[in-house]
Amino acid sequence: MPVTRRSAPRASRAGPVLESDSYLAILRTADLLRRQSADVLKGHGLTLAQYNVLRILRGAGSEGHLTGEIGARLVVQEPDVPRLIDRLEQKGWVTRRREVEDRRCVRVHLTRTGRTLVDGLDAPILAMHRRQFAALSASRLQSLLDALLTIQTT
């Protein structure tokens, strides 16, 4: 049963709870969407964080990204980006090399195999997103996006 304002647990204290209900609804929805995404990716041997890194690197093109840049661009912050990249490298999906100018910096690139993997996920991920948001019209979906972006920038 979807969580609605009527079925959402209410705060035990008196007073306005619209903000609290909204907060809890966002968390529950995010968890549902995350679990659905994880299920799709699991079939391809990927975690959400790994998929996010592959998408970030695809967007970087042939230049790749420094490890720190990848960490800063992650949708959900990961405490150990180098270990995450280790696992991707072991699977042959990324390569990395130290920068000549500053040996402390490591640049990560998507391999051809990694590119094929992430490109092949575009259609299934888009289909999943369309299912996830099918109950919303385009205008309601735009309103939702606008509201969430407003919260993020406040």
Side-chain angles (χ1 to χ4, degrees):
M1 176 166 106
V3 176
T4 63
R5 183 147 170 75
R6 279 178 267 139
S7 67
R10 302 294 302 224
S12 59
R13 67 190 188 326
V17 293
L18 184 58
E19 292 83 358
S20 296
D21 286 353
S22 298
Y23 172 79
L24 292 173
I26 289 170
L27 289 182
R28 285 188 187 100
T29 304
D31 184 57
L32 172 67
L33 298 176
R34 182 197 53 76
R35 285 184 281 117
Q36 291 171 347
S37 298
D39 287 345
V40 169
L41 295 172
K42 184 190 282 186
H44 299 276
L46 282 169
T47 65
L48 283 164
Q50 290 171 337
Y51 175 67
N52 192 200
V53 170
L54 295 178
R55 287 184 63 243
I56 290 166
L57 290 172
R58 177 174 60 181
S62 61
E63 302 238 346
H65 272 307
L66 296 174
T67 305
E69 292 171 335
I70 294 169
R73 292 171 183 261
L74 288 171
V75 174
V76 176
Q77 297 303 304
E78 286 287 322
D80 195 353
V81 174
R83 187 170 294 153
L84 177 60
I85 293 169
D86 284 344
R87 289 189 293 273
L88 293 171
E89 188 175 40
Q90 289 166 0
K91 293 181 178 189
W93 296 332
V94 303
T95 59
R96 59 183 156 182
R97 64 175 166 76
R98 294 214 174 267
E99 292 284 275
V100 174
E101 304 83 38
D102 185 347
R103 303 271 308 145
R104 296 172 295 177
C105 296
V106 176
R107 187 165 297 273
V108 184
H109 294 85
L110 193 59
T111 65
R112 186 171 297 165
T113 305
R115 175 70 187 230
T116 300
L117 174 65
V118 74
D119 286 350
L121 286 166
D122 287 346
I125 294 292
L126 179 58
M128 176 193 63
H129 290 322
R130 286 191 170 140
R131 286 189 308 274
Q132 290 171 324
F133 294 98
L136 299 178
S137 67
S139 63
R140 288 190 73 192
L141 192 54
Q142 185 63 56
S143 294
L144 173 63
L145 177 60
D146 292 344
L148 294 172
L149 292 174
T150 298
I151 291 169
Q152 290 176 26
T153 59
T154 316

